[in-house]
Amino acid sequence: MTDPLALFWITCVFVIMLMIAGLYCIFVTYNLIRVLIGLELLIKAVTLLLVVAGYANNHLARSQAFVITLIVMEVIFIAVAAGIVIGLYYHNQSLDVRKLRNLKG
Amino acid sequence: MIVEIIILSVLMLAALWTVMTRSILRSAIGLAFVSVMLTYIMFRLSSPIAAVFELSVCTGLISVVFISTITLTFPLSKEEVLQHMKERLSRFWYLPLILILVGLAFSLAQVKLNLTLPPPEVEQDVRNVLWKLRPFDLAGQVIMLLTGVYGVLILFRQVRKK
């Protein structure tokens, strides 16, 4: 039988690593689509944390309800953000954040 | 627990590949693979309904949204690609190092979690939790969905006008 708290701690380590990967992707890249991919990785880390917390607490139904809500939010966020990225691309002909200087000053 | 650690390691490698790979299309495919691994973990941790949502929505729909977005943009020219490759390598090579160091540091730290676990939940059915205990979550989801639809409509109308 797996100790839930031991599994929780090990999963927390992977959640932290996943968050670092997502944050690194957001901070280092200049491509807008890759920024969205980094944000997706951060959301995946939160999803994983919710699931393992529900498993460790033995509150599986509640954690699944939270995860479903999070997934709905995630899809809407990505759809709108992808629309904004396409709009910016048509406006500037580039996805490079360094070239988005229209609002400068 | 060994199986869970193996799956989590594969998930982490897929996430690393997603961040490090040069092509954005491969990056989107890597993200879908991360979702698949997360789904498997969810099944292993007795959360099958959330796992089905993750598999159908995150692996399927979000990958389609990303690939459509990538398809709607033009690729870089050869000179830009060469310049981009030189820049990328210098910016991204720190990530595996940071991840290994953080993973080792947290794994070797002998943390004893003395958490007091709450009593097991009374309601065991996700449907009852969603519809009876947390109806405001559903109301929030509906409002977010309508907001998302409205936002996408406005964005695409502006693009069409141009």
Side-chain angles (χ1 to χ4, degrees):
Chain A
M1 182 68 188
T2 306
D3 178 19
L5 282 182
L7 183 65
F8 178 70
W9 172 244
I10 290 168
T11 312
C12 278
V13 175
F14 281 96
V15 165
I16 292 166
M17 288 163 73
L18 204 54
M19 281 194 159
I20 289 172
L23 283 173
Y24 195 92
C25 187
I26 292 168
F27 288 138
V28 169
T29 189
Y30 298 126
N31 190 304
L32 279 173
I33 297 177
R34 221 176 263 278
V35 171
L36 287 188
I37 288 173
L39 283 168
E40 265 289 308
L41 285 178
L42 285 177
I43 298 172
K44 300 271 178 256
V46 175
T47 311
L48 181 59
L49 191 60
L50 276 174
V51 170
V52 79
Y55 179 77
N57 276 333
N58 204 10
H59 280 228
L60 288 165
R62 200 171 288 248
S63 80
Q64 286 189 84
F66 283 139
V67 169
I68 289 168
T69 308
L70 180 66
I71 288 171
V72 172
M73 302 291 172
E74 179 183 350
V75 170
I76 295 160
F77 158 70
I78 287 298
V80 174
I84 292 171
V85 167
I86 292 170
L88 282 172
Y89 177 75
Y90 284 138
H91 196 70
N92 297 294
Q93 297 302 313
S94 173
L95 288 173
D96 196 330
V97 287
R98 290 168 296 185
K99 292 178 184 169
L100 302 178
R101 290 167 182 267
N102 294 346
L103 295 177
K104 190 180 174 190
Chain B
M1 200 157 75
I2 301 289
V3 181
E4 278 86 4
I5 293 172
I6 292 170
I7 300 165
L8 285 169
S9 306
V10 175
L11 185 148
M12 201 57 238
L13 286 175
L16 192 63
W17 188 66
T18 302
V19 177
M20 300 278 292
T21 187
R22 192 173 57 83
S23 155
I24 301 179
L25 193 61
R26 281 186 208 151
S27 207
I29 293 165
L31 190 66
F33 192 69
V34 171
S35 281
V36 171
M37 287 296 115
L38 189 56
T39 305
Y40 192 40
I41 280 281
M42 285 176 174
F43 272 116
R44 297 271 316 171
L45 298 184
S46 320
S47 303
I49 297 175
V52 168
F53 261 80
E54 176 75 25
L55 189 64
S56 58
V57 177
C58 293
T59 313
L61 186 62
I62 290 183
S63 300
V64 169
V65 169
F66 270 119
I67 290 169
S68 308
T69 311
I70 294 162
T71 315
L72 286 169
T73 57
F74 290 103
L76 298 172
S77 65
K78 276 188 180 175
E79 294 84 32
E80 283 174 326
V81 168
L82 285 175
Q83 180 63 31
H84 182 63
M85 277 170 68
K86 279 180 198 168
E87 284 180 6
R88 264 186 69 79
L89 199 65
S90 61
R91 280 185 281 136
F92 276 87
W93 74 270
Y94 297 102
L95 181 60
L97 200 67
I98 293 170
L99 287 183
I100 290 168
L101 286 177
V102 170
L104 278 177
F106 279 99
S107 306
L108 296 176
Q110 298 290 325
V111 177
K112 298 282 180 198
L113 293 175
N114 294 320
L115 300 175
T116 313
L117 294 180
E121 63 188 342
V122 181
E123 190 53 72
Q124 297 286 340
D125 195 351
V126 185
R127 289 168 298 183
N128 286 341
V129 171
L130 264 179
W131 288 103
K132 290 179 185 166
L133 293 179
R134 305 195 65 84
F136 280 109
D137 284 10
L138 286 176
Q141 285 182 35
V142 172
I143 292 167
M144 280 293 287
L145 268 172
L146 292 175
T147 313
V149 168
Y150 190 63
V152 170
L153 273 178
I154 285 180
L155 280 168
F156 279 93
R157 193 188 293 162
Q158 282 176 352
V159 169
R160 216 179 294 141
K161 271 182 190 171
K162 281 171 190 168

